[in-house]
Amino acid sequence: MPITTDPERLSKVAEDLGQAVRSAGQGARVRLPVLQPADAAGLVMAMHAQLDDAIDERSAEAAATGVHIACSAGCSSCCVAPVLVTEGEAVTVAEWLKLPDNAEVRARFAALYPAWRRGIGSTVEAIHRARTDEERRAAAIELKHKNVMCAFNREGLCSIYPARPSRCRKAHALETNANCGAEGSGQVQYFEHPRTEMTFEEQEPMRAALHHALRPGAGLELLCAAVNRLLGSGVGRNDPCPCGSGQKYKRCCGG
């Protein structure tokens, strides 16, 4: 099924989720609506378009004030950083990869995923188990220093660029990318743009509602691992995991 683009249908999905969020905020017990992946992906893509509009404005304002945003095609310094996503954003990437025009990108991801999974090793469990900001931060720092490139990176370019998560869209660095990667200091300078930050923050409740409607009770997950799970690997749950960990698939990448 193609990603939903019908405005009326997406408006209805957003309204149902929004009503659930408002009711929950008032202390009421709510049952989140059952969502089709195509509808969830369509809603996320619509939110991406809103965020992109704000980011375009950010770029224009930065240029007008003489500030240089270092990010450009071919720069992938931040692609070794862990990207934790909600289920809605993971579903969006998976649905985009299922489109016939993106079959080559999907096949390349399937080929690169085992090496990515071996590279991050047991850190993936530490990140997925983390429940506090401190635990997430410690696991993220450990993973970043492993310097494992995202399995969606292709020769410095993002192969899922149209469907990439919101945090990937918002990320940027001023003047230089020297501090972005695993070898950098982490002291990245940003251009403060209120509309971009406001748009991102205003979308957070909807991203959370989509997450809980699609995968109740689950925490955030690393982008590559979540998309691999959603696409399915063709490996039996009790078969050896293709990533080479030595564990059963259900205990590893299929967990």
Side-chain angles (χ1 to χ4, degrees):
M1 181 183 296
I3 294 173
T4 302
T5 57
D6 177 56
E8 290 187 8
R9 184 174 178 88
L10 291 179
S11 179
K12 179 65 166 58
V13 172
E15 177 56 33
D16 289 346
L17 282 169
Q19 182 58 50
V21 170
R22 289 189 291 272
S23 297
Q26 296 169 358
R29 295 187 63 181
V30 298
R31 176 173 292 182
L32 290 168
V34 176
L35 294 178
Q36 296 298 320
D39 291 342
L43 185 55
V44 170
M45 291 292 271
M47 290 194 293
H48 284 343
Q50 292 176 341
L51 183 60
D52 286 347
D53 187 55
I55 291 170
D56 287 343
E57 183 181 282
R58 180 184 70 186
S59 298
E61 289 188 14
T65 56
V67 175
H68 172 62
I69 293 181
C71 312
S72 61
C75 175
S76 54
S77 298
C78 64
C79 296
V80 298
V83 179
L84 285 166
V85 294
T86 58
E87 188 73 357
E89 292 197 306
V91 164
T92 301
V93 175
E95 292 300 298
W96 186 85
L97 288 170
K98 292 176 184 178
L99 298 175
D101 288 348
N102 302 322
E104 182 183 351
V105 179
R106 178 176 177 176
R108 190 172 187 276
F109 169 68
L112 292 177
Y113 180 81
W116 176 86
R117 182 62 182 81
R118 286 194 299 271
I120 64 174
S122 61
T123 311
V124 68
E125 283 85 15
I127 285 183
H128 293 168
R129 285 197 308 266
R131 290 295 178 266
T132 67
D133 289 342
E134 184 177 348
E135 290 174 346
R136 292 189 188 94
R137 190 176 300 111
I141 290 172
E142 179 184 347
L143 180 53
K144 185 175 181 180
H145 285 302
K146 289 191 174 185
N147 204 29
V148 181
M149 182 59 68
C150 175
F152 289 117
N153 185 283
R154 183 172 187 174
E155 298 175 357
L157 299 176
C158 177
S159 63
I160 57 167
Y161 195 79
R164 69 196 188 284
S166 55
R167 292 189 181 278
C168 297
R169 292 168 188 269
K170 193 166 74 79
H172 69 288
L174 296 184
E175 305 304 335
T176 178
N177 62 2
N179 298 319
C180 300
E183 304 304 322
S185 66
Q187 301 301 312
V188 181
Q189 291 185 310
Y190 302 100
F191 184 74
E192 298 295 334
H193 186 249
R195 185 186 167 204
T196 296
E197 298 306 319
M198 182 179 67
T199 301
F200 181 84
E201 293 301 326
E202 286 179 343
Q203 291 177 349
E204 280 285 77
M206 186 60 71
R207 281 191 287 267
L210 279 166
H211 180 79
H212 292 301
L214 291 164
R215 203 172 184 220
L220 302 183
E221 194 172 2
L222 288 169
L223 171 64
C224 293
V227 173
N228 182 70
R229 168 178 54 79
L230 288 164
L231 291 175
S233 65
V235 179
R237 288 182 57 76
N238 289 309
D239 292 340
C241 189
C243 78
S245 66
Q247 301 184 63
K248 291 182 178 181
Y249 179 66
K250 67 181 180 182
R251 302 290 184 188
C252 193
C253 296

